[in-house]
Amino acid sequence: MSSLPLSSAPWPRSFLKECDFSPEQWLTLIDLAAQLKAEHKNGTEVQRLAGKAIALIFEKTSTRTRCAFEVAAFQQGAHTTYLDPSGSQLGHKESIADTARVLGRMFDGIEFRGTAQTDAEALAEFSGVPVFNGLTDQWHPTQMLADALTIREHVKKPFTDVAHAYLGDARFNTGRSLLVSSAMLGMDVRIVAPPKFQPDPQARTIAQAYADRTGARITITDDVETGVRGADVVSTDIWVSMGEPKEAWTQRVAELRDYQVNAHTMALTNNPDAVFMHCLPSFHDLETSIGRKVFELTGLSALEVSDDVFNGPQSVVFDQAENRLHTIKAVLVAFLQR
Ligand code: CP
Ligand code: NVA
């Protein structure tokens, strides 16, 4: 795909999806996040966003993404306004375009989490200010920066030497973004899922175009053993995503249960240093109402990851969650400090 940005391309105005960025630009954001994290930890953080106002639109629920935007903005001196679907006219009484034109006159930037990528793109087009994609059904780009920073911290190899296996539902936001961002970073990326849950042709084409440039190796397989052999990172995501009907659980569990990340999966890597990653939230025990309901339906007390792996020594999921803060802060600084 020749339309991917080259290293010399200008910065996009908004942070909407991975394929708007060159690999060099993506690395710049990861480097900036590492710098901002170090500054925050050693008490030398400088407020670069004083006086900036940021709208946070959440059509879907969130813990990490919302908190990361709010805390990152606070630490950098910016103000945030949180809009949930019931607290604004968006979508039901006012179009995206009209809302965007209003918000663009008041705010310096807008975060959007929702269903359609086209809504994030429309907000960017009509608001005239930078828009930050906090997750759509198609892409989850802020998550990918946090994942990359976490890999850099825990896997002592250059990105181009990292083997990253992702198991489970790879046709939704996290799986698609992980394929593309891993290819962008030149990794040996393995997507391990039944054919129905493998990435669509668009995501594959974008990833291959990056791979042609970065030397990434891409494997898409339904065979767990092949997929995880030699992996440095094993990742997964929940099996039924926000916006999907709860009736999907029983069939989904039957379709994906062989792709659970458990002690056997980690052993199959044959790599004692392999780390386990998950964007969270996760169903690894019966401490959630959905987890208990799915247990009643299927008899499985852990879904996409077993509790021993989630809480075990190879798991870096809470470092990964913390890195949402530092990487989202890097996005805000890179796009608003202009
Ligand atoms: N990983 C992630 O996006 O988490 P939240 O849904 O809690 O924001
Ligand atoms: N695929 C998940 C990601 C949550 C961060 C969802 O869309 O619900």
Side-chain angles (χ1 to χ4, degrees), residues 3-19:
S3 57
L4 287 180
L6 296 166
S7 54
S8 57
W11 274 81
R13 179 159 193 175
S14 286
F15 185 84
L16 295 172
K17 55 189 182 301
E18 293 81 355
C19 66

Side-chain angles (χ1 to χ4, degrees), residues 61-65 113 140 143 242 279-281 324:
T61 54
S62 168
T63 296
R64 279 145 290 272
T65 309
R113 166 172 285 199
H140 196 4
Q143 181 70 53
M242 290 183 280
C279 59
L280 308 183
R324 302 297 310 284

Side-chain angles (χ1 to χ4, degrees), residues 58-210:
F58 279 84
E59 286 183 357
K60 293 179 172 179
T61 54
S62 168
T63 296
R64 279 145 290 272
T65 309
R66 176 184 175 183
C67 293
F69 270 98
E70 292 206 12
V71 174
F74 168 74
Q75 291 176 346
Q76 280 292 313
H79 172 82
T80 56
T81 300
Y82 176 68
L83 296 162
D84 72 15
S86 58
S88 73
Q89 321 284 18
L90 184 71
H92 38 102
K93 251 177 96 178
E94 193 164 32
S95 69
I96 293 274
D98 290 356
T99 305
R101 283 180 282 195
V102 173
L103 298 183
R105 292 183 180 226
M106 299 187 188
F107 291 93
D108 300 289
I110 302 169
E111 182 276 352
F112 175 78
R113 166 172 285 199
T115 300
Q117 182 71 20
T118 48
D119 286 348
E121 309 267 348
L123 267 176
E125 180 184 346
F126 290 102
S127 69
V129 297
V131 170
F132 315 112
N133 179 357
L135 175 146
T136 61
D137 286 358
Q138 289 76 31
W139 305 110
H140 196 4
T142 59
Q143 181 70 53
M144 296 305 120
L145 291 177
D147 291 9
L149 182 60
T150 310
I151 291 170
R152 179 182 276 178
E153 291 169 347
H154 285 279
V155 182
K156 300 297 172 204
K157 292 177 176 180
F159 285 131
T160 48
D161 290 347
V162 171
H164 190 170
Y166 173 91
L167 278 70
D169 180 4
R171 72 201 154 117
F172 221 71
N173 41 33
T174 303
R176 299 175 85 243
S177 276
L178 190 139
L179 169 63
V180 168
S181 60
S182 302
M184 231 173 156
L185 294 171
M187 292 183 189
D188 170 359
V189 54
R190 298 97 172 269
I191 302 293
V192 191
K196 183 175 162 187
F197 294 93
Q198 292 176 356
D200 53 276
Q202 185 209 23
R204 290 183 195 218
T205 305
I206 294 168
Q208 190 55 55
Y210 278 121

Side-chain angles (χ1 to χ4, degrees), residues 30-46 48 149 153 322-323 326 329:
I30 298 164
D31 289 344
L32 178 59
Q35 179 197 327
L36 293 171
K37 181 174 182 176
E39 282 182 15
H40 183 72
K41 299 272 180 196
N42 67 25
T44 59
E45 181 162 2
V46 176
R48 297 160 173 91
L149 182 60
E153 291 169 347
E322 180 192 327
N323 281 338
H326 308 297
K329 190 185 287 178

Side-chain angles (χ1 to χ4, degrees), residues 249 253 260 282-308 310-311:
W249 272 109
V253 168
Q260 182 191 67
S282 164
F283 295 115
H284 58 93
D285 58 20
L286 297 179
E287 299 299 318
T288 65
S289 56
I290 292 179
R292 287 190 290 274
K293 279 207 180 73
V294 180
F295 174 69
E296 281 164 25
L297 292 168
T298 66
L300 274 195
S301 60
L303 301 178
E304 74 280 356
V305 55
S306 62
D307 196 49
D308 56 336
F310 185 90
N311 282 309

